[in-house]
Amino acid sequence: MDKNLYKKIVVALMISTLGTVSAWAAEEAVVPVDLGQAAVTDSARNTAGQKVSRTGKKAARTVKNQAAVTPAGAIGASDVTPQLREELAQKIRSDMEASAKRAAARGEADPVIVVGRVASDQAVDLTLPKTVQMALDYNRDIKVAHYALNSSDFDIAIAKAGKMPQVGYTWSGARAMSQNMGRDVIGNSFKNSFSVSIPLYTGGLVENEIANAKLGKTNAQEEMLRVQQATKYSAVEGYYALLAYQELRDVYHEAVDNLQGHLDNVTAQYNVGTKAKVDVLSSNVSLANSKTTAVTADNNVAIAESNLNNILGLPLQTKLNLADHQLPFDTYDISLQEAIDYAMKYRPEVLQAAVAVQEAENSIGIAQAGNRPTVSVGAGRGWSDDDFPGIDDHNWSVSGGVSWSLWDGGATNAKIKKARETLLSARETEQKARESVQLEVKQAYLNIRSAAQRVEETTAVVDQAKENYRIQNIRYQAGVGINLDVLDAQLSLNEAQVNHIQALYDYNVGIAKLEQAMGVDVRSGVIHPSLTGK
């Protein structure tokens, strides 16, 4: 990046900040406190209050006039101009393009997949299993978790290095003057040396660090599963949301067609004098309201489609064709206790909390290592000479050492006590995680049961509402019903259909939510029969 450009921005921000502080200080004059005024009498305070009362309005007018003549931009003026920000944006863009060209020239593939795997005008056919798989393949949160998992292997290697021999090489050269028998002597000195140090005992420090590094990898693995499960839930939720909004759109457009036909019928009867003008007006208003609702439904479909594209890593304008046309209502049998037991065994957050307890236990051992000795051995080989590179005269050494901190001011004991408190905190956190997961599972389970009951109830209500609308329409055409009955029947039909679709959506998404709460593996979980080939 261009350092000069960043310097300009930093200097501009500093100037702007100093200007703001100076302007504020100019307005807020600092008045020294007169301690003698603390003994003012009540009568003096009353007199002062009367003066303030008489001059209050005048002072307010003065302040208002002063504010009016204050130059615009005197406070909060920014020297970071749009032009400067545009230069920075262009610089960043050009640097990214140059980096991409260099990578392409070296034949390197960018692991960061950008949006745009399909053409902007290309439609994508989706089934629920395909939607889930695409989300798992291209979701960025999963990729971030994958990188963290890979990094945990290097943390283990770093910890294990504490038990490995340490090999070093040193070269030094010097030119110095000294006096010998009153004469100045100038000479050169060159040295080469190799050294090897092997730790034999670290008081359990390295062993516990290795154990914690391995637990860190376990935690990263569980985090990977947690992100995958969350991604799967988002994909299922997005798929069913788009499907539900499409069904709602059909409901509202059907209502527009029904009301348009009813309005045409009312208008025809009005023209022959059999219906009143008020019937035409009320029917027209109902039709207009229904058209407005249909427009909102169309917009909801577009938003749901864009949201699902975002989850799948597709361009937002990609057209999605869903294989399903109606929300399913498949049986999902599992007891609450089975769901809770499964979650206690496999929910990633529960396992991560348990891993944190083990890490806290190992941390106590790390702290206790400060009270134990460390033992190491070493060897060295060196060369020195007054001619470069200094390899004529040689020497060697073999060493062994024991280091033991007898008193460090109580720091080690404090670390041990702190580690024990951390262990207690981790155990409380683990129990809290288990209780939270149990509550989440129970809520998801009850929501599924509630949604299933609502689906069954609304199924019959929709059929009744359709029949009611048909009867009311016939009655009105026969002249034995009123217009309000037809309009009310249409509203009731809309409400029944919307409630039915909402219940189906809640049921299907509720199953996905329960499986996420249970920690069901993304590859083996049953959310829809098509996922298992049944």
Side-chain angles (χ1 to χ4, degrees):
M1 301 298 291
D2 191 344
K3 294 183 178 180
N4 293 328
L5 185 59
Y6 286 118
K7 289 181 179 179
K8 291 180 181 179
I9 295 178
V10 173
V11 171
L13 290 173
M14 293 176 63
I15 294 174
S16 176
T17 303
L18 292 174
T20 302
V21 173
S22 300
W24 175 82
E27 286 191 354
E28 301 293 333
V30 179
V31 180
V33 178
D34 185 0
L35 297 178
Q37 294 179 354
V40 64
T41 61
D42 292 340
S43 60
R45 285 197 296 268
N46 294 336
T47 302
Q50 295 174 359
K51 291 181 180 180
V52 171
S53 178
R54 289 194 299 268
T55 60
K57 295 183 179 180
K58 181 178 179 181
R61 289 194 297 270
T62 302
V63 172
K64 183 177 181 180
N65 293 334
Q66 290 177 350
V69 298
T70 300
I75 299 178
S78 176
D79 292 328
V80 183
T81 63
Q83 180 181 359
L84 189 60
R85 298 183 71 246
E86 179 63 24
E87 291 178 2
L88 177 61
Q90 292 179 357
K91 180 63 178 175
I92 293 175
R93 188 182 304 110
S94 62
D95 288 347
M96 292 177 62
E97 294 175 353
S99 177
K101 290 181 180 179
R102 289 193 297 269
R106 294 191 298 266
E108 297 177 352
D110 189 356
V112 180
I113 302 176
V114 298
V115 173
R117 289 176 284 108
V118 300
S120 58
D121 58 346
Q122 180 180 348
V124 176
D125 297 329
L126 289 179
T127 61
L128 183 58
K130 182 179 179 180
T131 300
V132 172
Q133 189 59 51
M134 289 180 64
L136 295 176
D137 290 340
Y138 298 107
N139 185 268
R140 298 194 185 279
D141 290 335
I142 293 179
K143 295 186 68 177
V144 171
H146 179 71
Y147 297 144
L149 178 58
N150 291 341
S151 298
S152 64
D153 288 328
F154 302 118
D155 291 334
I156 296 175
I158 293 172
K160 287 182 176 180
K163 299 185 69 175
M164 297 291 106
Q166 305 294 313
V167 181
Y169 166 77
T170 302
W171 177 90
S172 64
R175 182 176 177 82
M177 186 274 289
S178 62
Q179 288 189 342
N180 185 13
M181 303 293 294
R183 298 176 57 187
D184 293 341
V185 179
I186 300 176
N188 299 326
S189 175
F190 301 96
K191 297 180 180 180
N192 295 268
S193 64
F194 283 94
S195 63
V196 178
S197 177
I198 304 175
L200 300 181
Y201 177 70
T202 61
L205 174 65
V206 176
E207 289 78 6
N208 283 294
E209 288 180 342
I210 295 174
N212 271 358
K214 292 180 178 179
L215 290 174
K217 181 176 181 179
T218 302
N219 183 75
Q221 291 171 338
E222 293 301 318
E223 179 64 15
M224 181 78 171
L225 295 176
R226 187 196 67 79
V227 174
Q228 287 179 341
Q229 292 164 10
T231 300
K232 182 177 183 178
Y233 171 74
S234 297
V236 174
E237 184 182 35
Y239 182 89
Y240 283 132
L242 177 56
L243 182 56
Y245 278 123
Q246 288 178 346
E247 288 195 54
L248 289 173
R249 178 189 58 189
D250 296 339
V251 166
Y252 290 123
H253 279 281
E254 180 184 6
V256 171
D257 294 338
N258 290 342
L259 291 174
Q260 182 64 60
H262 177 66
L263 177 61
D264 294 340
N265 180 44
V266 173
T267 302
Q269 295 189 49
Y270 169 74
N271 290 334
V272 297
T274 59
K275 297 298 180 183
K277 180 68 173 179
V278 67
D279 287 359
V280 178
L281 295 176
S282 59
S283 299
N284 200 14
V285 170
S286 297
L287 175 60
N289 292 336
S290 184
K291 288 182 178 179
T292 301
T293 305
V295 171
T296 302
D298 292 337
N299 186 63
N300 290 337
V301 170
I303 293 175
E305 188 174 60
S306 298
N307 179 63
L308 185 54
N309 280 327
N310 179 258
I311 294 173
L312 301 181
L314 297 173
L316 297 182
Q317 66 273 22
T318 303
K319 176 63 178 176
L320 301 178
N321 298 324
L322 304 186
D324 295 306
H325 300 288
Q326 288 184 340
L327 289 164
F329 185 50
D330 302 312
T331 303
Y332 190 83
D333 293 326
I334 187 174
S335 68
L336 176 59
Q337 191 58 48
E338 288 175 340
I340 292 178
D341 291 343
Y342 190 97
M344 291 299 98
K345 292 181 181 179
Y346 302 111
R347 176 71 180 264
E349 286 89 336
V350 172
L351 298 179
Q352 286 176 314
V355 167
V357 172
Q358 297 179 20
E359 290 178 336
E361 292 174 346
N362 293 334
S363 295
I364 295 177
I366 293 175
Q368 290 174 338
N371 285 332
R372 297 167 183 161
T374 59
V375 181
S376 63
V377 295
R381 180 68 183 267
W383 297 265
S384 63
D385 196 1
D386 55 3
D387 292 328
F388 181 83
I391 57 175
D392 286 348
D393 300 329
H394 66 273
N395 59 77
W396 59 268
S397 65
V398 177
S399 63
V402 177
S403 176
W404 197 343
S405 176
L406 300 180
W407 173 246
D408 59 0
T412 298
N413 289 333
K415 291 178 181 178
I416 294 173
K417 293 178 181 179
K418 179 181 178 181
R420 287 172 177 168
E421 294 298 321
T422 302
L423 173 59
L424 294 176
S425 176
R427 292 178 61 188
E428 291 289 347
T429 302
E430 179 191 17
Q431 187 60 32
K432 179 182 177 181
R434 291 181 178 276
E435 293 170 354
S436 298
V437 168
Q438 290 177 6
L439 177 60
E440 186 178 349
V441 170
K442 184 173 182 179
Q443 289 175 338
Y445 181 86
L446 294 178
N447 288 336
I448 291 177
R449 292 293 171 258
S450 174
Q453 294 176 5
R454 288 189 287 119
V455 170
E456 295 174 352
E457 293 174 358
T458 55
T459 300
V461 173
V462 169
D463 294 336
Q464 294 172 3
K466 289 180 178 179
E467 181 64 15
N468 180 53
Y469 175 76
R470 186 186 67 83
I471 293 174
Q472 295 299 339
N473 207 18
I474 294 175
R475 283 171 52 83
Y476 182 78
Q477 293 176 4
V480 296
I482 61 176
N483 186 51
L484 183 60
D485 291 338
V486 178
L487 300 181
D488 286 345
Q490 179 61 59
L491 289 175
S492 298
L493 176 58
N494 287 353
E495 183 179 2
Q497 290 174 321
V498 169
N499 289 340
H500 183 63
I501 294 172
Q502 183 67 54
L504 286 170
Y505 171 81
D506 292 342
Y507 178 77
N508 287 280
V509 174
I511 293 175
K513 185 62 177 177
L514 176 60
E515 293 197 342
Q516 183 194 15
M518 293 167 56
V520 175
D521 184 77
V522 296
R523 311 290 177 178
S524 62
V526 178
I527 294 180
H528 191 277
S530 59
L531 285 175
T532 57
K534 294 182 179 179

